[in-house]
Amino acid sequence: MKPLKRIFLPRFIRPSVLNRLNTPELLESLNFVAKSSSGIYHHLPLGHRTIEKLTDIVHRELHESFPNVSELALASISPRRRWEKTNRWNNNEMYRLDNDQFCLVPTCEEDITKLMTSHIKSYKDMPVLAYQVTKKFRNEKRPRNGLLRTKEFLMLDAYSFVESTEDAKSMFNEVNEAFIRIFKRLKIPFAKAVADNGYIGGDQSIEYHYLHDVGEDKLFYCPNCHTTSTQDKTESLPGTNLKPTTDVTVKYALNKSHDTLFCFYFPSDRQLNWNLASIATDYDLDSALKEFTDNKILTIFQNENNDPMFNKVVRMMDSRISSRSNFPDFPLKQYLKNNFSQITDVNLVNSIEGEICGLCGESPLQTSNSIEVGHTFNLNTKYSEAMKLNYNNAENTTENNLVKMGCYGIGISRVVAAIAEVNRDSLGLRWPSPIAPYLVSICSPPKTEEMNEKIVKVVTKLTESSQLANEILQLPNGEDNNTTLFSQISTSHAIGIPICIIVGSKTWPRIEIEVRGKRLKGDTDAYWKIKYNHLKDQYQWEVYQENTTEKHVVHLDHANDVIEFLLKDI
Amino acid sequence: MKPLKRIFLPRFIRPSVLNRLNTPELLESLNFVAKSSSGIYHHLPLGHRTIEKLTDIVHRELHESFPNVSELALASISPRRRWEKTNRWNNNEMYRLDNDQFCLVPTCEEDITKLMTSHIKSYKDMPVLAYQVTKKFRNEKRPRNGLLRTKEFLMLDAYSFVESTEDAKSMFNEVNEAFIRIFKRLKIPFAKAVADNGYIGGDQSIEYHYLHDVGEDKLFYCPNCHTTSTQDKTESLPGTNLKPTTDVTVKYALNKSHDTLFCFYFPSDRQLNWNLASIATDYDLDSALKEFTDNKILTIFQNENNDPMFNKVVRMMDSRISSRSNFPDFPLKQYLKNNFSQITDVNLVNSIEGEICGLCGESPLQTSNSIEVGHTFNLNTKYSEAMKLNYNNAENTTENNLVKMGCYGIGISRVVAAIAEVNRDSLGLRWPSPIAPYLVSICSPPKTEEMNEKIVKVVTKLTESSQLANEILQLPNGEDNNTTLFSQISTSHAIGIPICIIVGSKTWPRIEIEVRGKRLKGDTDAYWKIKYNHLKDQYQWEVYQENTTEKHVVHLDHANDVIEFLLKDI
């Protein structure tokens, strides 16, 4: 039988064609992924290698940061009863199985909390940090942005279990520091934002984002107090140059026991921010009614209370409106003045760029679209209470000793899709070296006996380096359009391989090296420049710039050293 | 915060308790796995490490055997339409999703064949071998044997695509040779059996089994022609010492177009073998009717044919019955003698131990229960035809050029469960070193300053060996029942760690090494014995037997060498 073919290596694609593709299409054209059906993708060899490298970085960082961390692989199928206990079964993005008695896990708080009830019995069994990198499932009704929101995706999820609120905070901080080290290893600039706990619940929450226009999220940044926060969490004060509002809209809401009516008044041209509204009510808002119309809210308020006239009504005024604004009519015909209160100067609406930071009150806020790639939560006892995860303290009493939990996630396949997006350029993809599918490619003119011998020598030399041994992509060379030297180099650049080696006859035994990768530390302090002056003669090392491409020529005997210097900045 | 706890290390379990547990219970008690619900398990750190090591062996062997093999990760969710094309949608063990429009993949022939229609266009694109190690799903209605049949399981599945029938055979043989090398690397004796293609379909099929009483499968072995085969595939001749049968049972069946009635006559105390029956009809049996009663079969035959009197009837007689046996009444009242045929001396029933091998006709068959862990199929064009996977040949014509496929599977999580079963002994689990969760454990008397220093020295020394660096399990030492030196050693043996190092004061700076692993090559040619005589003085190396345990005492400076010698046979 003939030797196996590597059919998943991409064919040559013209830059003019590449540039018309959006990033998901580009990843498909270059055979990183293949779409199976809407929102569902296969990972092909190039994509799979990239994912595996990121997974490996996550493993290494977690084990180095936490030598006793426990690595698990929890089941993908989870029984309904656990999700009912935590009130998360009614989620229409969850895949149901087997007559709705099971689901495919979108995340694993329920299962791991249940598991820990058999393993954590005493304060002596904590602190614990456990993690897994496994597939998660979400029945996205409208999968968007190709690879950023898919129905199945690889995710790192870590869970912590500690005794006290202080330990919970330390653990939360330590895991966030490890996450920051993971993102720094990837070399792509990222933002860390104060975020809302939302569907997962808990007390404290931080998101990790890549800033980019295609992102569906919006981050706010204050250049004075340096706070970055998500839309939900950003409070702002009206800028002094803004006109006062005249048209006012109202939105009604109820407290959790439905015996207090909240009336939120805000400018008609702005959007109510439910998180800020909830904070204004001291977290006593029934958010299950969020989507209900005002009429329905008022009907509930009137039906569930004997005589609503005696119930409390709280009017909240956004800080952008004044008493001279035009208010809508008040809906209740009768009410007691004593039960009626009014609070003014509350921040109730989504912030907009240019308004003043609500935290420091000093600077106008800046905004940017962004792609969320990680999220950490200090959960406190939300899950341990629902699943009865208690422990014995030193006095041997279980009562009221609920384990404090945290959960921490990085969307592995999402990070890869996001980096493809934020780091691409006119030649195609451009991977930072830690997750590039291969570190070096070898391109050469059509095969001759002599050329073959040279290629074997180059491969043998590169293989001597433990960093490069499994990182060599040899592109097929030949005479057809797809395999000329030019198409090989273009293909290597389009795939985003950081280092492209050209084996030619002109310079032999010196080889040409094209640097594809972006210098992620900035050009002036490039690592190779530090080495260059006292090694250039010994290595027969020359450097020149051809258009925008940095090229090195170096004697094969020293190629591994030079490549390793170059990779440090890519 | 205090250092993290490793709560998933098992506590000490008395051997008398261990021995009452079946293997799935044992794996649960020792924290290799945790049951989440019926047929669904989480993998805990020890189990996860074992699975990862096996996965790694599979990767390495496949990449070494096939340098250009393509590694993928196909989606878990697959659209219904593909399964309807291959007639595999009606499978009641398949998990359905999203209003029955998708399934969770039990195996990936449909998806990969569809994928290849975009990547294989010409004979120049072949041969191709692609594989993945991913989770598969099967809604087992009665999950049995704990970990051998679970609803989700990790599986290696490889798929080959070639031009010709000869290439298909070569590929099938090459992948089977790689599978044999994988199983040999695991060091546990296994059997390779001729098998039936069943649900997957195709032409040729081989199964890999571990022989063990708990196995649900049955293998037949002929000591004369050395053929091993599954029940479905084993044909036997009645032994000469068997009494001729007097009571005869009949089973009716129809051909695929339902115009021929087959009547299978066989001894009442034996079971009809549908595969042999199908072969006897030249594969013209409608196996969809397999579970139908005889009355129903006859009704179909009479209803679907205008005048059954004119239809063909074929009577097949198992070779164990003679014309003097008692036959049941013939069910049709009228038939034409010309349309009626009778074939005798056919093998129609499941073979039993002691009957003569049907292939060579020489020796009595031997049987054994077994656990199936791998299965390979030469599929021919079953899937490429259904999914229209054609290629252009050298003459540039696509017509009739269907790609020839093969598929190859190893149940990764099943292999681990099966080895746990076949290799356990009175002390607990006993892993062959290639998949042991750790290669060495360190046990020691309660912690003192002096003991701590010794342990650090031992760990530092072991870490110098690249083979051992990440393979050291340090068991907690202390005064309570769970952490005495005795419980540490018992726990290490129960988990099945091949090498148990005891750091004591008596022999220091020599350390004691207990060999837990079974010598998988047999004791006489143990690798360490070859080294022993000329190294014993230099290494201060002593060996003795304590009850059934082989113990080595060796100077710490040479411990790594001795451990590496010992591991070669375990």
Side-chain angles (χ1 to χ4, degrees):
Chain A
M1 208 175 51
K2 293 178 292 180
L4 292 185
K5 292 290 166 61
R6 289 143 78 210
I7 50 166
F8 295 108
L9 283 182
R11 284 159 192 268
F12 169 62
I13 307 172
R14 269 171 221 295
S16 60
V17 175
L18 278 185
N19 285 315
R20 280 201 299 271
L21 304 175
N22 66 28
T23 305
E25 290 164 348
L26 182 60
L27 285 162
E28 249 194 291
S29 302
L30 293 168
N31 286 348
F32 279 74
V33 297
K35 191 171 184 172
S36 172
S37 61
S38 169
I40 300 176
Y41 289 83
H42 303 307
H43 284 101
L44 303 185
L46 290 172
H48 185 67
R49 277 182 73 100
T50 307
I51 295 268
E52 290 280 291
K53 286 195 175 183
L54 176 55
T55 306
D56 208 52
I57 288 170
V58 167
H59 284 305
R60 271 184 288 145
E61 184 55 57
L62 289 178
H63 284 275
E64 282 169 25
S65 303
F66 305 99
N68 280 347
V69 69
S70 302
E71 190 188 347
L72 312 166
L74 301 176
S76 303
I77 299 175
S78 177
R80 172 177 184 152
R81 57 182 183 277
R82 285 179 205 153
W83 297 80
E84 286 178 335
K85 278 190 186 151
T86 59
N87 277 322
R88 298 211 297 171
W89 181 255
N90 288 319
N91 169 353
N92 61 12
E93 290 200 331
M94 202 148 70
Y95 276 111
R96 313 289 175 82
L97 295 176
D98 222 1
N99 294 321
D100 278 8
Q101 291 312 296
F102 293 88
C103 68
L104 287 177
V105 287
T107 164
C108 293
E109 286 77 12
E110 281 73 3
D111 278 350
I112 201 160
T113 311
K114 169 73 183 166
L115 173 67
M116 290 304 178
T117 59
S118 317
H119 290 88
I120 296 177
K121 302 287 188 189
S122 147
Y123 70 101
K124 291 180 193 164
D125 298 327
M126 292 181 281
V128 167
L129 181 66
Y131 83 98
Q132 59 176 350
V133 178
T134 57
K135 230 181 227 186
K136 306 297 183 300
F137 300 86
R138 186 165 47 195
N139 196 354
E140 292 277 353
K141 300 300 176 193
R142 297 168 291 123
R144 281 154 300 181
N145 271 37
L147 290 153
L148 292 175
R149 281 195 181 274
T150 51
K151 294 178 175 177
E152 41 181 88
F153 48 97
L154 199 62
M155 188 173 144
L156 153 79
D157 44 331
Y159 304 89
S160 63
F161 305 85
V162 301
E163 248 183 288
S164 65
T165 315
E166 297 97 78
D167 280 2
K169 277 185 189 147
S170 318
M171 183 66 100
F172 183 76
N173 292 336
E174 282 183 31
V175 179
N176 276 288
E177 279 160 27
F179 270 32
I180 289 171
R181 285 191 293 272
I182 289 170
F183 285 112
K184 282 190 174 161
R185 285 193 189 211
L186 305 184
K187 300 187 179 181
I188 303 294
F190 63 96
K192 184 184 154 204
V194 179
D196 186 45
N197 287 59
Y199 167 68
I200 302 276
D203 283 351
Q204 210 183 344
S205 169
I206 290 175
E207 285 181 9
Y208 296 85
H209 289 254
Y210 289 124
L211 302 185
H212 195 273
D213 282 347
V214 308
E216 294 190 320
D217 287 298
K218 197 170 208 173
L219 290 188
F220 288 79
Y221 174 69
C222 169
N224 180 60
C225 69
H226 299 293
T227 305
T228 303
S229 50
T230 60
Q231 177 93 70
D232 278 346
K233 278 286 202 186
T234 306
E235 218 170 314
S236 64
L237 307 169
T240 46
N241 54 350
L242 291 175
K243 279 183 286 178
T245 301
T246 48
D247 284 334
V248 173
T249 294
V250 67
K251 178 83 191 87
Y252 301 114
L254 299 179
N255 69 343
K256 285 177 182 161
S257 51
H258 292 191
D259 55 8
T260 298
L261 178 70
F262 294 115
C263 319
F264 299 115
Y265 294 95
F266 56 96
S268 301
D269 57 350
R270 302 292 289 271
Q271 279 188 302
L272 185 66
N273 179 317
W274 277 96
N275 184 52
L276 297 181
S278 170
I279 293 170
T281 66
D282 216 5
Y283 298 101
D284 191 22
L285 203 60
D286 182 357
S287 53
L289 311 180
K290 203 166 136 178
E291 307 292 334
F292 285 25
T293 61
D294 281 348
N295 275 339
K296 208 157 177 188
I297 299 275
L298 291 170
T299 311
I300 294 172
F301 182 63
Q302 280 160 335
N303 291 349
E304 290 189 14
N305 294 293
N306 284 336
D307 192 346
M309 185 176 144
F310 297 100
N311 280 87
K312 269 172 75 174
V313 173
V314 183
R315 281 160 58 112
M316 303 242 188
M317 309 289 177
D318 182 67
S319 50
R320 285 152 197 84
I321 57 180
S322 70
S323 50
R324 280 161 304 161
S325 306
N326 298 327
F327 283 82
D329 292 337
F330 190 70
L332 297 184
K333 280 172 193 148
Q334 293 187 304
Y335 57 87
L336 291 184
K337 222 172 179 180
N338 280 348
N339 290 338
F340 187 90
S341 57
Q342 177 154 326
I343 305 173
T344 56
D345 272 327
V346 195
N347 290 316
L348 293 175
V349 296
N350 281 341
S351 301
I352 54 175
E353 188 155 25
E355 286 191 317
I356 305 301
C357 170
L359 282 180
C360 69
E362 293 289 338
S363 278
L365 289 167
Q366 300 172 356
T367 67
S368 171
N369 281 0
S370 70
I371 304 168
E372 184 200 336
V373 286
H375 205 155
T376 61
F377 299 87
N378 183 348
L379 295 170
N380 204 338
T381 58
K382 177 178 155 89
Y383 295 90
S384 49
E385 195 172 349
M387 313 290 286
K388 298 200 173 50
L389 176 57
N390 300 57
Y391 65 93
N392 271 317
N393 61 15
E395 289 75 42
N396 229 8
T397 54
T398 328
E399 226 173 313
N400 298 326
N401 297 332
L402 286 170
V403 170
K404 314 294 177 299
M405 288 176 53
C407 73
Y408 316 91
I410 293 178
I412 301 289
S413 41
R414 199 162 211 249
V415 166
V416 169
I419 289 181
E421 186 74 77
V422 304
N423 220 40
R424 70 179 279 197
D425 67 7
S426 61
L427 301 179
L429 300 172
R430 192 171 49 170
W431 297 106
S433 65
I435 60 166
Y438 293 89
L439 290 175
V440 296
S441 65
I442 296 180
C443 304
S444 58
K447 274 188 184 168
T448 59
E449 192 96 355
E450 195 202 334
M451 188 49 67
N452 281 350
E453 275 169 30
K454 283 179 187 162
I455 293 172
V456 169
K457 275 183 194 157
V458 173
V459 172
T460 309
K461 186 71 204 171
L462 295 174
T463 310
E464 284 171 14
S465 150
S466 64
Q467 191 190 354
L468 304 180
N470 291 309
E471 295 295 335
I472 308 161
L473 177 66
Q474 205 183 320
L475 288 157
N477 59 1
E479 301 278 3
D480 70 66
N481 277 347
N482 195 34
T483 56
T484 61
L485 181 58
F486 173 76
S487 1
Q488 291 168 53
I489 297 172
S490 304
T491 300
S492 168
H493 288 352
I495 302 174
I497 309 297
I499 298 288
C500 172
I501 294 175
I502 300 153
V503 185
S505 304
K506 271 188 293 181
T507 55
W508 189 261
R510 297 199 300 156
I511 56 167
E512 274 182 78
I513 296 171
E514 281 200 20
V515 176
R516 161 78 180 120
K518 190 179 187 177
R519 297 228 166 269
L520 291 160
K521 276 185 177 174
D523 198 38
T524 47
D525 57 352
Y527 189 85
W528 68 268
K529 289 194 177 170
I530 303 163
K531 300 284 179 181
Y532 181 66
N533 273 328
H534 61 280
L535 289 173
K536 62 179 181 183
D537 295 333
Q538 189 196 337
Y539 284 12
Q540 300 181 36
W541 181 2
E542 275 178 85
V543 186
Y544 58 98
Q545 195 79 17
E546 203 176 86
N547 300 324
T548 58
T549 308
E550 176 186 310
K551 290 199 177 191
H552 297 252
V553 181
V554 67
H555 193 284
L556 180 59
D557 288 350
H558 303 287
N560 290 353
D561 280 350
V562 170
I563 293 168
E564 285 169 25
F565 299 153
L566 292 170
L567 285 172
K568 283 194 199 291
D569 301 313
I570 303 174
Chain B
M1 208 175 50
K2 295 178 292 179
L4 292 184
K5 293 291 166 61
R6 288 142 79 207
I7 50 166
F8 294 107
L9 284 182
R11 285 160 190 269
F12 170 62
I13 307 172
R14 270 172 220 296
S16 61
V17 175
L18 277 186
N19 285 312
R20 280 201 299 272
L21 304 174
N22 65 29
T23 304
E25 290 164 347
L26 183 59
L27 285 162
E28 248 194 292
S29 302
L30 293 168
N31 287 347
F32 278 74
V33 296
K35 192 173 182 168
S36 173
S37 61
S38 169
I40 299 177
Y41 288 83
H42 303 307
H43 284 100
L44 303 185
L46 289 173
H48 184 68
R49 279 183 72 99
T50 307
I51 295 267
E52 290 280 290
K53 287 194 175 183
L54 176 54
T55 306
D56 207 51
I57 288 170
V58 167
H59 285 305
R60 269 182 289 145
E61 184 57 55
L62 288 178
H63 284 275
E64 283 168 25
S65 302
F66 306 98
N68 280 347
V69 70
S70 304
E71 190 186 347
L72 312 167
L74 301 176
S76 303
I77 299 175
S78 178
R80 173 176 183 153
R81 56 182 184 275
R82 285 179 204 155
W83 298 79
E84 285 178 336
K85 278 190 186 151
T86 59
N87 276 323
R88 298 211 299 171
W89 180 254
N90 289 319
N91 169 354
N92 60 12
E93 289 200 333
M94 202 147 70
Y95 276 111
R96 312 288 175 82
L97 294 177
D98 223 1
N99 294 323
D100 278 10
Q101 292 311 299
F102 292 89
C103 68
L104 287 177
V105 288
T107 165
C108 294
E109 285 77 13
E110 281 74 1
D111 279 349
I112 201 160
T113 311
K114 169 74 183 164
L115 174 68
M116 289 304 178
T117 58
S118 318
H119 290 88
I120 297 177
K121 302 285 188 190
S122 147
Y123 72 101
K124 291 181 192 162
D125 298 327
M126 293 182 280
V128 167
L129 181 66
Y131 84 98
Q132 60 176 349
V133 178
T134 57
K135 231 181 226 187
K136 306 297 183 298
F137 300 86
R138 186 164 48 195
N139 196 355
E140 292 277 352
K141 299 301 178 194
R142 298 167 291 121
R144 283 154 298 184
N145 272 34
L147 291 153
L148 292 176
R149 279 194 182 276
T150 52
K151 294 178 175 177
E152 42 181 88
F153 49 97
L154 199 63
M155 189 171 143
L156 153 79
D157 43 331
Y159 303 89
S160 63
F161 304 85
V162 301
E163 247 183 289
S164 66
T165 315
E166 299 96 78
D167 279 1
K169 275 184 191 149
S170 317
M171 183 66 100
F172 183 76
N173 292 338
E174 281 183 33
V175 178
N176 276 288
E177 279 160 27
F179 271 31
I180 289 170
R181 285 191 294 272
I182 288 170
F183 286 112
K184 281 190 175 162
R185 284 193 189 212
L186 307 183
K187 301 187 177 182
I188 303 293
F190 63 96
K192 182 185 156 205
V194 178
D196 186 45
N197 286 59
Y199 167 67
I200 303 276
D203 283 351
Q204 209 183 345
S205 169
I206 290 175
E207 284 182 9
Y208 296 85
H209 288 254
Y210 289 124
L211 303 184
H212 194 272
D213 283 348
V214 308
E216 292 189 323
D217 287 297
K218 199 171 206 172
L219 291 188
F220 288 79
Y221 174 70
C222 168
N224 180 61
C225 68
H226 300 294
T227 304
T228 303
S229 50
T230 59
Q231 179 93 68
D232 278 346
K233 278 286 202 185
T234 307
E235 216 171 317
S236 64
L237 308 167
T240 46
N241 55 350
L242 292 175
K243 279 184 287 181
T245 301
T246 49
D247 284 334
V248 172
T249 295
V250 68
K251 180 83 191 84
Y252 300 115
L254 299 179
N255 69 343
K256 284 175 182 163
S257 51
H258 292 192
D259 56 7
T260 299
L261 178 70
F262 294 116
C263 319
F264 299 115
Y265 295 95
F266 57 96
S268 301
D269 57 351
R270 300 292 289 272
Q271 280 187 301
L272 184 65
N273 179 318
W274 277 95
N275 183 52
L276 297 182
S278 169
I279 293 169
T281 66
D282 216 6
Y283 299 100
D284 191 23
L285 203 61
D286 182 357
S287 54
L289 311 179
K290 202 167 138 178
E291 308 292 333
F292 286 26
T293 60
D294 281 350
N295 275 339
K296 207 157 177 188
I297 300 274
L298 292 170
T299 310
I300 294 171
F301 182 64
Q302 280 160 335
N303 291 348
E304 291 190 13
N305 294 291
N306 285 335
D307 193 346
M309 185 176 142
F310 296 99
N311 280 87
K312 267 172 72 174
V313 173
V314 183
R315 281 161 57 111
M316 304 244 190
M317 309 288 179
D318 183 67
S319 51
R320 286 151 197 84
I321 56 181
S322 69
S323 52
R324 281 158 304 160
S325 306
N326 298 326
F327 283 81
D329 292 338
F330 190 69
L332 298 184
K333 279 171 194 150
Q334 294 188 303
Y335 56 88
L336 291 183
K337 224 174 178 177
N338 281 349
N339 290 337
F340 187 90
S341 58
Q342 178 153 325
I343 306 173
T344 57
D345 272 325
V346 196
N347 289 316
L348 292 175
V349 297
N350 281 341
S351 301
I352 55 174
E353 187 154 28
E355 284 191 320
I356 304 302
C357 170
L359 282 181
C360 68
E362 293 289 339
S363 278
L365 290 167
Q366 299 171 357
T367 68
S368 171
N369 281 358
S370 69
I371 305 167
E372 184 199 335
V373 286
H375 205 155
T376 59
F377 299 86
N378 184 346
L379 295 170
N380 203 337
T381 57
K382 179 179 155 88
Y383 295 89
S384 49
E385 195 173 349
M387 314 290 286
K388 300 199 173 47
L389 177 57
N390 300 56
Y391 65 92
N392 271 318
N393 60 15
E395 289 75 43
N396 228 6
T397 55
T398 327
E399 226 173 313
N400 298 326
N401 297 334
L402 287 170
V403 170
K404 314 292 177 300
M405 287 176 53
C407 72
Y408 316 90
I410 293 179
I412 301 287
S413 43
R414 199 162 211 247
V415 165
V416 168
I419 289 181
E421 185 75 77
V422 304
N423 219 38
R424 71 179 279 197
D425 67 8
S426 62
L427 300 178
L429 300 173
R430 195 171 48 170
W431 297 106
S433 65
I435 60 166
Y438 294 90
L439 290 175
V440 295
S441 66
I442 296 181
C443 304
S444 59
K447 275 188 182 165
T448 59
E449 192 96 356
E450 195 201 333
M451 187 49 67
N452 281 351
E453 277 169 28
K454 283 178 185 162
I455 293 172
V456 169
K457 277 183 191 157
V458 172
V459 172
T460 310
K461 187 72 205 172
L462 295 174
T463 311
E464 285 171 13
S465 149
S466 64
Q467 190 189 356
L468 303 180
N470 290 310
E471 294 295 333
I472 308 161
L473 177 66
Q474 204 183 321
L475 287 157
N477 60 0
E479 301 278 3
D480 69 66
N481 277 347
N482 196 35
T483 56
T484 61
L485 181 58
F486 173 77
S487 3
Q488 291 166 54
I489 298 172
S490 305
T491 300
S492 168
H493 289 353
I495 302 174
I497 310 297
I499 298 287
C500 172
I501 294 174
I502 300 154
V503 184
S505 304
K506 270 188 296 182
T507 55
W508 188 261
R510 297 199 300 156
I511 56 166
E512 276 181 79
I513 296 170
E514 282 200 21
V515 176
R516 162 75 180 124
K518 190 180 189 176
R519 296 229 166 270
L520 291 161
K521 279 185 176 174
D523 198 33
T524 47
D525 57 353
Y527 189 85
W528 68 266
K529 287 192 178 170
I530 302 163
K531 301 285 179 180
Y532 181 66
N533 274 327
H534 62 279
L535 289 173
K536 64 180 179 180
D537 295 334
Q538 190 197 337
Y539 284 12
Q540 300 183 38
W541 181 2
E542 274 177 87
V543 186
Y544 59 98
Q545 195 78 17
E546 204 177 83
N547 302 322
T548 58
T549 308
E550 177 186 309
K551 290 198 179 194
H552 297 252
V553 182
V554 67
H555 194 285
L556 180 59
D557 288 350
H558 303 287
N560 290 353
D561 280 351
V562 170
I563 292 169
E564 285 170 24
F565 299 156
L566 292 169
L567 286 172
K568 285 193 197 291
D569 301 314
I570 302 174

